Amino acid sequence: YRYNIYSQNGEDGIIEEVNRRLGINKNKEKFCVEFGAWDGMHLSNTFNLIKKGWKGVYIEGDKKKYNDLLKTSKQYPNITSRIIIKKRNMKKL
């Protein structure tokens, strides 16, 4: 089931098959989360879902990559949240 559209190691195909088997694609509203989102597209395991209408929460800790993510989220408003985690916040976690 492995194939790549945006993913690196076949995750796009595997996620699609898992969703098919679980009947997730039949749900009206779907959400996904991407940790280490970079620009939201590069080596993403969830951007293919975003393009299919899923809503997403994208998390990135690198400021430059986060700024790239902001640009992508302007084009794809279903990326509903963009979060940057700073080192000083890590102590609180």
Side-chain angles (χ1 to χ4, degrees), residues 33-89:
V33 178
E34 181 86 25
F35 295 89
W38 194 325
D39 66 352
M41 296 182 285
H42 183 73
L43 303 178
S44 174
N45 292 331
T46 61
F47 191 68
N48 190 39
L49 300 173
I50 294 294
K51 289 194 77 169
K52 291 180 179 185
W54 288 51
K55 292 183 180 179
V57 174
Y58 278 27
I59 300 167
E60 178 54 58
D62 181 276
K63 188 173 183 176
K64 182 182 179 318
K65 291 176 183 177
Y66 177 76
N67 288 331
D68 293 340
L69 175 58
L70 291 177
K71 292 175 190 173
T72 301
S73 66
K74 287 180 183 176
Q75 296 174 358
Y76 295 91
N78 49 332
I79 300 175
T80 57
S81 296
R82 292 123 348 242
I83 301 167
I84 187 166
I85 297 180
K86 299 179 181 179
K87 288 182 182 179
R88 69 173 189 251
N89 294 341

Side-chain angles (χ1 to χ4, degrees), residues 1-57:
Y1 299 101
R2 291 177 52 167
Y3 68 84
N4 296 322
I5 298 174
Y6 296 96
S7 63
Q8 182 177 16
N9 296 302
E11 293 92 338
D12 288 322
I14 294 166
I15 290 169
E16 188 171 291
E17 179 62 16
V18 168
N19 289 344
R20 185 192 68 76
R21 289 184 186 195
L22 295 175
I24 291 172
N25 292 326
K26 298 174 185 173
N27 295 335
K28 292 181 181 177
E29 205 166 26
K30 298 165 286 266
F31 295 89
C32 59
V33 178
E34 181 86 25
F35 295 89
W38 194 325
D39 66 352
M41 296 182 285
H42 183 73
L43 303 178
S44 174
N45 292 331
T46 61
F47 191 68
N48 190 39
L49 300 173
I50 294 294
K51 289 194 77 169
K52 291 180 179 185
W54 288 51
K55 292 183 180 179
V57 174

